[in-house]
Structures are given as C-alpha cells and as structure tokens.
Amino acid sequence: MKQQNNPAKTREYIQTFNPVVVQASVQHQDYLCSFNAGEDYKNFNDFIHNEWKEYLKSKDGVTFLVFDEDRTTSKKNIVAFYTLCASAIPYTDRWFIPIEERDKSGKKYDEQECGIPSIEIKMFAVTEQYQDVFFVVDGEERPVSAWILHDIICTIESLTTSVIAAKAIFLHAIPTAESFYLQNGFSYAHPSMHTFHNMDSEYASMFLALTKLHIHYDE
C-alpha cells in the first residue's frame, strides 16, 4: 500500500464513502481485473487478478473486496481488498535462572516455546484512485485506507468473540507501509517472537494485540 507523508501536498478529500464488503468470487472478475494499486505494487495486482483463487482453494486465505457503492444508483467502484487466514505467532517465554538455582547444565535461562493464536492479514491493498484520499466521519478525518483497516480490525475482533478465538492480528508490512501500520495501532514483533517463515518473511513482522499478552522475556 502506498503511503505518502508530504506536508506540502494539498490533501484530497471525498465527500461520500459507502463501503460494502463482500467475499471475492468469480462473479467479481471484471472488478478484480480492473484493480490497480500502482506500478510499484505489481505483486498486489497480480494477486487479486489471478492468485486469490488458489489461496482460497488451498485454504491459505480468504479474500474480501471493499466497494464504494452509490446509495442512489447502486453503482460501485472497487476500493481495496484484503486476505485473512488463521495463524499463530510463535514466541519464547524466557526466565533468568539465578546462579544458585542452576542445575548441572549451567543454563542461564528457563525457556518455553509458546504461541499466540492470531488472525493474519496476508494481503491488504488499496486501488490507486483511493490512495492518499481522506474522508471525514463525525469530524474525524483519516485516509480511506485507514478507515478500511479500522473496519478490518473491528471485523476480526468480532470474529474472535463469536466464531474463533484469537489474541492478536499479525501481518508482514512492506517498507512503504510500515509507518501506516504503526500509526494505526500495530507494533513491530517483540524480540521474543520468531514468526513462521513464508514468502513475505523478508518484510517487517508486525502485530496488534486484541487482549493483554503475557510474554516474559529476560534479556
């Protein structure tokens, strides 16, 4: 997702925004093919044009589309998409062992491998037309992308109290999106976390706790 923070740039606003979220299906093919996050985000474009079906078939992720729908004409524009899957964040609980309590092994730490049940946002992208565009709700202005992310978080929170329990939201952020996620409640992975390897492991691991996480990690 492209995020630009140029104070000299005049902000662009839209007057109405009526988001409608649906699960991606072949009946949306025309919208999917028209999705364009920009030349620098070809991997997102390729995913929504072709790969989302394979993710669904292999149970690697369910993709949802966000439309901006005209309440009067029902005409709609595709704004964004995101892909969710069940996941976990492995981490090490580590406690320092005082010298007088150590056994013959001489281990300095008592370590246990644990995991935080999570929902992973595997993909999230906004079409170029709606990037860096702001919308005001009840006097609060945010980029459209931030409103959508807020809705995704609320949706996941609802799922974790009614469908499947999870304690955090996890994602890998591309470099240009790290500040965006930090501004919207996410944190970089804790030093004790060693996330599972996947095709996005080169990017920053970030998470948002949905409840208090009891992680102990003595340095």
Side-chain angles (χ1 to χ4, degrees):
M1 178 187 303
K2 181 166 64 176
Q3 296 295 324
Q4 296 179 349
N5 298 304
N6 183 354
K9 181 180 177 181
T10 302
R11 284 186 172 180
E12 181 180 349
Y13 292 84
I14 54 175
Q15 298 304 309
T16 60
F17 180 50
N18 180 38
V20 176
V21 181
V22 299
Q23 184 178 338
S25 72
V26 292
Q27 72 181 25
H28 302 116
Q29 194 61 41
D30 289 345
Y31 291 103
L32 302 180
C33 290
S34 68
F35 186 93
N36 180 20
E39 293 183 3
D40 294 333
Y41 303 94
K42 185 176 182 296
N43 58 328
F44 291 103
N45 294 337
D46 289 344
F47 178 86
I48 199 59
H49 294 168
N50 303 300
E51 299 167 14
W52 68 272
K53 288 181 287 188
E54 289 302 315
Y55 269 59
L56 181 62
K57 182 179 179 180
S58 61
K59 302 190 184 303
D60 284 326
V62 179
T63 299
F64 298 88
L65 310 177
V66 181
F67 291 100
D68 183 9
E69 184 173 273
D70 187 302
R71 295 181 187 274
T72 303
T73 64
S74 295
K75 181 180 178 181
K76 55 190 179 183
N77 297 318
I78 189 166
V79 179
F81 76 87
Y82 59 92
T83 302
L84 304 179
C85 77
S87 187
I89 306 174
Y91 70 95
T92 302
D93 243 11
R94 188 164 86 170
W95 299 79
F96 180 76
I97 305 173
I99 294 176
E100 64 274 14
E101 295 179 14
R102 295 177 191 173
D103 59 22
K104 293 181 181 180
S105 69
K107 287 172 42 178
K108 293 175 58 177
Y109 300 99
D110 180 17
E111 297 182 334
Q112 293 182 336
E113 296 305 308
C114 306
I116 301 166
S118 308
I119 301 295
E120 182 177 357
I121 302 176
K122 296 189 76 72
M123 283 280 179
F124 174 39
V126 176
T127 190
E128 199 167 35
Q129 178 185 350
Y130 285 84
Q131 291 173 13
D132 302 314
V133 174
F134 285 73
F135 181 62
V136 181
V137 176
D138 296 330
E140 181 181 4
E141 63 177 51
R142 295 185 187 181
V144 168
S145 54
W147 285 116
I148 295 172
L149 180 60
H150 176 74
D151 186 68
I152 295 171
I153 294 170
C154 290
T155 298
I156 291 174
E157 286 183 318
S158 177
L159 288 175
T160 61
T161 57
S162 60
V163 179
I164 182 170
K167 295 184 176 182
I169 301 172
F170 171 76
L171 55 82
H172 285 101
I174 60 175
T176 52
E178 289 181 29
S179 62
F180 168 75
Y181 287 113
L182 290 172
Q183 292 165 11
N184 286 279
F186 283 77
S187 303
Y188 289 111
H190 187 274
S192 68
M193 295 175 179
H194 39 90
T195 57
F196 293 122
H197 176 79
N198 65 31
M199 62 183 297
D200 293 323
S201 292
E202 64 184 285
Y203 301 124
S205 299
M206 305 185 76
F207 75 102
L208 186 154
L210 300 176
T211 187
K212 185 173 179 59
L213 302 178
H214 300 280
I215 298 175
H216 188 95
Y217 192 74
D218 286 333
E219 297 290 348

